Amino acid sequence: MGIRLSPLGYAILMNDESLFPYHSEKTFSVQPNFEIIIPRNLDLSIRWYLTRITELLKVADTLTYKLSRHAIYKTLQEGETPDKILEFLWKYSENPLPEKVHQTVLDWTSAYGRIGFVDAFLLRCDNEALAKELKESKRIHKFIVDEISPTYLVVRRRDYFKLLEVLEEENYMPRPGVERLSR
């Protein structure tokens, strides 16, 4: 049993644009209101990327997408960079990117990552004097990465057992185990 490929199927299989039975466009129109109007025959790789940073608004003779903060946020979460997003818009926009669009995309992307989470492993001391003593200890200070407060010191999770051993050797008598914070 055999299969028959259409001209489009053959062109895709061969990954040869010159074999495609239709011509694909390489540009779209970016409007000052953040709408992007694209021809139906926009190059599929350009259209795919565009769908990552926009939301589809209307399907007619042309397709209308709209840049959105939410779509760009999702794309940034997937590892894309602000520079690549703007480079893409500049490269494929048939006219210069409207300044309002450029500036807004910069504003949206500059907010990304300003807040993040850190998985910290904390060494808690019952008073500031003890924490200061540990920070000044020749054997222990090398385990301390940072200080969260006068009594909470950040240490590497991977150093827990070695630090526990050194604390015991230095006669500090730490409570073994890791306390879980709960509310």
Side-chain angles (χ1 to χ4, degrees), residues 154-171:
V154 179
V155 296
R156 288 179 203 84
R157 188 178 306 272
R158 69 176 184 254
D159 291 339
Y160 167 72
F161 290 108
K162 182 64 179 164
L163 177 56
L164 184 63
E165 182 181 306
V166 171
L167 287 167
E168 289 169 349
E169 289 170 3
E170 295 289 316
N171 295 316

Side-chain angles (χ1 to χ4, degrees), residues 36-100:
I36 298 177
I37 300 165
I38 70 167
R40 284 187 168 268
N41 64 338
L42 183 68
D43 180 89
L44 293 178
S45 64
I46 298 170
R47 183 190 267 182
W48 172 81
Y49 190 89
L50 191 61
T51 62
R52 294 179 64 207
I53 60 173
T54 60
E55 296 171 0
L56 181 62
L57 289 183
K58 182 170 58 175
V59 177
D61 293 336
T62 58
L63 303 171
T64 304
Y65 289 85
K66 187 165 190 166
L67 283 167
S68 78
R69 182 182 179 103
H70 178 71
I72 287 177
Y73 175 53
K74 286 185 352 187
T75 303
L76 292 169
Q77 288 177 310
E78 293 167 0
E80 196 57 88
T81 65
D83 288 343
K84 180 134 187 221
I85 293 168
L86 283 168
E87 177 186 320
F88 170 82
L89 292 170
W90 277 101
K91 181 175 182 179
Y92 295 108
S93 178
E94 63 189 6
N95 297 312
L97 198 60
E99 179 58 32
K100 176 182 175 184

